Amino acid sequence: MTTVTEAAGGAPVRTVRPRGGVSRSVRDSLVVAQRNLIRMLRIPEVVIFGLIQPIMFVVLFTYVFGGSINVPGAPVGDAQAYREFLMAGIFAQTVTFATAGAGAGIADDMHKGLIDRFRSLPMSRGAVLTGRTLADLVQTALTLVVVAVVALLIGWRTHENILKVLAGFALLLLLGYAFSWIGALIGLTVRTPEAATSGGLIWLFPLTFISNAFVPVNGMPVFLQHVAEWNPFSATVAAARLLFGNTSSRAPTSVTGAWPMDHPVLASLIWSVLIIAVFRTLAVRKYRSATA
């Protein structure tokens, strides 16, 4: 903020007050995010390779498993019903698998000494991680748009108004942003980008497959049904299906009576906000101790 005062001789003197902590942190975070987005543009193969995997999942699951998996409440062998059941899971997998890239990017910055250079600048400590996760969110959003277009081309359709559909995608991106903080913590913990990539994927596979993303939960063993329906990933998938209109009124919302499956939108919000609060705190603390 700038104020104008008068000097002894009557001439106006401008006094610049230092910005507050919040405004400074926001400004620094946006600068770091811009830096990471520019780097992504200069290395387009990173974005291109990030698109290949989700598109492959869309095509393979649709045409390989589409006629063999029965969706509750739909006719046996209904490929269109499975296509609509599947896509929310593919979208959720796409945004969460960006976690590995976030962790590898931060580990690479640590390995090259870039974080040490940021330390020498008069900037907010948390801004380095916040800016990185915001840049990853933008890249994830672009990937999600491309995957959604591919899904439309193979026959996926929504059956709700545009506001609900956008709300579904917003929940998916919020989950992706929450998981990027897990990736940030992993990237700060390991020593190499390769280890961050492996560490960012090894726990994602059971999380995404022990869920309602690709197959109905009712076919799982009973103990896995409880795990799947309390899985934060499952809550967001169920919420997206509901907001996209990709659910059947004849199918039960929950097999085990789990609260998140009966209130998926609220549960998705709670899980994502809780993950952000916990892992952002841990990641910023780790960042400060790693660069102290």
Side-chain angles (χ1 to χ4, degrees), residues 39-40 43-52 101 132 139 143:
R39 187 171 68 170
M40 289 176 189
I43 313 175
E45 56 267 28
V46 174
V47 179
I48 294 172
F49 291 153
L51 290 171
I52 294 175
R132 175 76 205 199
Q139 182 180 353
T143 304

Side-chain angles (χ1 to χ4, degrees), residues 160-248:
E160 292 288 354
N161 61 62
I162 187 63
L163 291 179
K164 286 189 175 181
V165 172
L166 291 176
F169 282 114
L171 284 178
L172 289 164
L173 289 173
L174 181 62
L175 180 71
Y177 182 69
F179 275 46
S180 69
W181 281 105
I182 301 178
L185 180 61
I186 293 172
L188 290 168
T189 303
V190 300
R191 297 183 179 182
T192 64
E194 293 79 9
T197 301
S198 300
L201 290 175
I202 194 170
W203 60 275
L204 277 175
F205 278 103
L207 185 79
T208 55
F209 281 94
I210 306 176
S211 72
N212 59 0
F214 308 115
V215 296
V217 173
N218 58 1
M220 299 179 182
V222 175
F223 76 97
L224 284 184
Q225 290 178 358
H226 289 277
V227 174
E229 294 202 331
W230 281 95
N231 185 342
F233 185 83
S234 294
T236 300
V237 172
R241 285 192 185 122
L242 181 65
L243 293 170
F244 294 157
N246 292 156
T247 58
S248 172

Side-chain angles (χ1 to χ4, degrees), residues 240-284:
R241 285 192 185 122
L242 181 65
L243 293 170
F244 294 157
N246 292 156
T247 58
S248 172
S249 59
R250 293 173 291 177
T253 56
S254 173
V255 176
T256 65
W259 182 86
M261 295 298 99
D262 290 328
H263 308 84
V265 175
L266 180 59
S268 176
L269 283 171
I270 291 174
W271 274 121
S272 294
V273 171
L274 183 62
I275 291 170
I276 292 171
V278 172
F279 283 92
R280 187 185 189 281
T281 301
L282 293 175
V284 172

